[in-house]
Amino acid sequence: MASSRLWNRYTLTALCVLPVAALWGWQQLYVRGPSLSPAALSQQLQLAQAGDSKAMVALIQHYQLSVPGDPKQARYWMTQAADKGIATWQYQLGNDLLREGQTASGCRYLTLAAAQGEEEARQLLAASPACAKPA
């Protein structure tokens, strides 16, 4: 009798814990994303340096999401993508710069993104007193 209760407790624990652990592992891979292999990273670097915007985005994601990440490299490629005119990254960079207190640069990137129709950039510009146009 005691062994069946013990077995039931361990079975119940396994049935509850293992699926959660498996889900957590999958979620980490899905949320964090896999990092680029060294060969893929080298290829993406070459393409990005040649001006390929998709490669820039791949590098931003790699440096933001890989473990360990590299925020300086992510910021560098985000700036490159924003300067290339990609509205999503203009918005993201502008938002980051505003949060860091770099209002002039942040407002400039947000304005560029809003001009391309990035609605979140337009809303942030409207809500930010730092970006208000002088009357």
Side-chain angles (χ1 to χ4, degrees):
M1 184 78 154
S3 67
S4 68
R5 271 191 252 141
L6 185 62
W7 184 85
N8 287 338
R9 184 180 333 148
Y10 288 123
T11 303
L12 182 60
T13 301
L15 290 174
C16 293
V17 171
L18 291 177
V20 170
L23 179 62
W24 184 83
W26 174 82
Q27 180 187 21
Q28 290 302 96
L29 178 62
Y30 179 74
V31 171
R32 301 278 305 167
S35 58
L36 295 171
S37 69
L41 179 60
S42 176
Q43 180 185 27
Q44 293 301 319
L45 281 168
Q46 288 177 351
L47 291 169
Q49 289 167 348
D52 185 310
S53 59
K54 289 183 181 178
M56 290 176 189
V57 171
L59 290 172
I60 294 165
Q61 292 171 340
H62 169 76
Y63 289 121
Q64 283 182 333
L65 302 177
S66 64
V67 177
D70 189 340
K72 287 182 181 180
Q73 284 296 315
R75 174 60 66 89
Y76 173 80
W77 288 109
M78 187 183 298
T79 304
Q80 296 301 309
D83 289 343
K84 189 160 176 66
I86 302 172
T88 302
W89 295 108
Q90 289 172 334
Y91 162 71
Q92 185 63 50
L93 182 59
N95 189 16
D96 289 353
L97 290 169
L98 271 185
R99 281 188 278 130
E100 294 167 6
Q102 299 179 42
T103 54
S105 296
C107 294
R108 183 173 65 85
Y109 281 110
L110 288 173
T111 302
L112 291 170
Q116 293 190 64
E118 188 72 32
E119 182 61 24
E120 291 175 337
R122 189 193 63 72
Q123 292 173 0
L124 187 55
L125 278 171
S128 176
C131 295
K133 301 258 189 238

